[in-house]
Amino acid sequence: MADLFEPVTVGKWTLNNRIVMAPMTRNRATPDGVPTDLMATYYGQRATAGLIITEGVQPSTVGQGYMNSPGLHTPAQTAAWRTVADAVHQHGGRIVAQIMHAGRISHPDNKHHAETVAPSAIAAPGEMFTATGPQPHPTPPPPRALGSDEIPSVIDEYVHAARAAVDAGLDGIELHAANGYLLHQFLAPNTNQRTDSYGGTPEARARFVIEVAQAVSDAIGSERVGIRISPAINLHGAIEDDADDTAATYRTLVDALSAMGLAYLHTIGDPTTPLIEDLSHRFTGPRIVSNGWDPVTDAAIAQALLDNDQADLVAVGRAFIANPDLVQRWQTQAPLNQPDVNTFYGGDHRGYTDYPSR
């Protein structure tokens, strides 16, 4: 029976424990998407996690969604990520960059007025936070639907970002195919209404994600590539409410990913649901589970996921924000700092690097 605090091999890495720092948007990069020294301190403080998955990192200017989110598509960004990687490695940790093209979940004001693209020209619901406050996702005009001839160039953006991550000394990447961003937009039938070979059937909707995963695996090695999915979570207007269609889409996807030998599959949602349970067993590699947002994962919940063979590693979010030494606190059953929700997004060191360790 696996213990939460024992080492585990995942892909190319030997990790010190089975506790994963989940990717969390913190908005502390520069307006040009360059990671800061403060970010290096933040990630370095949390290096006792078995694996750190960074916040979403855009692979291009067009792919940016949020204010002050970091990128991996310019030399300055790559150089700054090297500082982050060094800070984590100096403390014995492992860190991968979560590559996240936001697709239609964006606003021009957050990305130097670059255009917004998506599988289909359908605007996202809700609002995006900008420097002037919340604004509706733009419509009109809606996001521009990617042409079939453009898709290879978008795949190339992911490849370039993956190579930049390795060049920066990061241990690998996670593809963000969850939570309503671009890869997920191709998977979900209401956001993908294409009639070409990338839409119309579960197999066709899964094609883009499979091609991205294969391309980055070819570029940096599949053992350095993980992927995050959120079947039927229905965030950011990506709706998967037909159970049979959703199952067919994700079975096609996960079977292909498993055959590639990816480092891990990272799922969001209750692992006891029939679909996630099925996908978990279809994938032959390590499984990272994020329970979602409620209840907050504690050490007992995390260990139970391992005991019940529902996960090989467990991703933890908010507790890592407030407890840089979370692994030690869990291991010694020490009390936890409580996170300040008012400092989650943007700002300076307050609520970011000033939480005390024991």
Side-chain angles (χ1 to χ4, degrees):
M1 189 176 295
D3 184 86
L4 192 60
F5 303 104
E6 70 181 8
V8 60
T9 298
V10 176
K12 196 173 179 64
W13 323 298
T14 297
L15 309 180
N16 291 327
N17 55 68
R18 296 171 182 263
I19 303 168
V20 176
M21 178 174 162
M24 293 174 286
T25 300
R26 301 304 307 273
N27 308 95
R28 259 73 169 193
T30 73
D32 290 322
V34 178
T36 61
D37 290 343
L38 194 64
M39 290 172 60
T41 299
Y42 168 75
Y43 284 115
Q45 287 175 337
R46 290 154 179 80
T48 54
L51 179 67
I52 293 173
I53 306 171
T54 74
E55 61 214 278
V57 178
Q58 59 263 12
S60 64
T61 301
V62 169
Q64 183 170 356
Y66 299 103
M67 287 178 57
N68 298 106
S69 59
L72 254 173
H73 55 91
T74 72
Q77 292 165 355
T78 302
W81 277 114
R82 189 169 294 115
T83 302
V84 176
D86 288 347
V88 171
H89 292 154
Q90 285 167 7
H91 292 91
R94 296 284 191 177
I95 180 170
V96 298
Q98 187 192 65
I99 308 301
M100 185 186 95
H101 191 306
R104 70 181 192 154
I105 307 301
S106 185
H107 194 282
D109 287 0
N110 289 349
K111 52 182 180 179
H112 306 291
H113 301 285
E115 68 171 340
T116 295
V117 298
S120 301
I122 303 169
E127 296 179 322
M128 169 61 67
F129 193 83
T130 72
T132 56
Q135 296 190 51
H137 290 105
T139 180
R144 184 176 65 78
L146 287 163
S148 299
D149 60 334
E150 295 179 279
I151 285 180
S153 67
V154 179
I155 294 173
D156 286 345
E157 292 176 1
Y158 281 93
V159 169
H160 180 267
R163 286 178 170 148
V166 173
D167 288 346
L170 297 166
D171 294 293
I173 67 157
E174 176 180 277
L175 293 172
H176 196 352
N179 296 0
Y181 300 111
L182 183 69
L183 294 181
H184 193 190
Q185 290 161 28
F186 271 87
L187 294 169
N190 74 307
T191 52
N192 180 352
Q193 298 185 10
R194 302 174 72 94
T195 57
D196 62 4
S197 59
Y198 290 94
T201 67
E203 295 75 20
R205 290 198 306 275
R207 179 182 172 185
F208 178 63
V209 184
I210 292 169
E211 289 184 351
V212 170
Q214 187 64 66
V216 297
S217 294
D218 291 344
I220 66 170
S222 62
E223 70 279 5
R224 294 182 185 271
V225 178
I227 191 167
R228 193 184 212 202
I229 59 173
S230 57
I233 294 296
N234 299 337
L235 282 176
H236 290 133
I239 307 301
E240 295 164 327
D241 56 5
D242 181 316
D244 291 340
D245 181 273
T246 303
T249 302
Y250 282 93
R251 286 170 181 159
T252 298
L253 174 62
V254 169
D255 286 351
L257 299 174
S258 185
M260 290 178 205
L262 293 197
Y264 64 80
L265 176 70
H266 181 181
T267 58
I268 304 173
D270 183 352
T272 66
T273 60
L275 178 55
I276 292 184
E277 189 175 50
D278 174 55
L279 298 176
S280 173
H281 290 295
R282 298 176 87 91
F283 188 76
T284 57
R287 304 154 300 163
I288 299 176
V289 165
S290 171
N291 266 341
W293 298 269
D294 188 34
V296 174
T297 301
D298 59 20
I301 290 173
Q303 184 62 56
L305 289 168
L306 302 182
D307 293 344
N308 296 330
D309 193 31
Q310 293 162 337
D312 299 296
L313 303 95
V314 179
V316 184
R318 283 163 286 179
F320 261 120
I321 287 178
N323 299 277
D325 56 344
L326 180 67
V327 174
Q328 180 187 17
R329 288 175 186 255
W330 274 9
Q331 199 162 20
T332 60
Q333 300 182 9
L336 301 183
N337 302 320
Q338 295 305 305
D340 176 7
V341 298
N342 297 312
T343 57
F344 278 4
Y345 306 111
D348 53 21
H349 70 285
R350 289 168 291 186
Y352 191 58
T353 59
D354 62 348
Y355 286 105
S357 296
R358 291 179 61 83

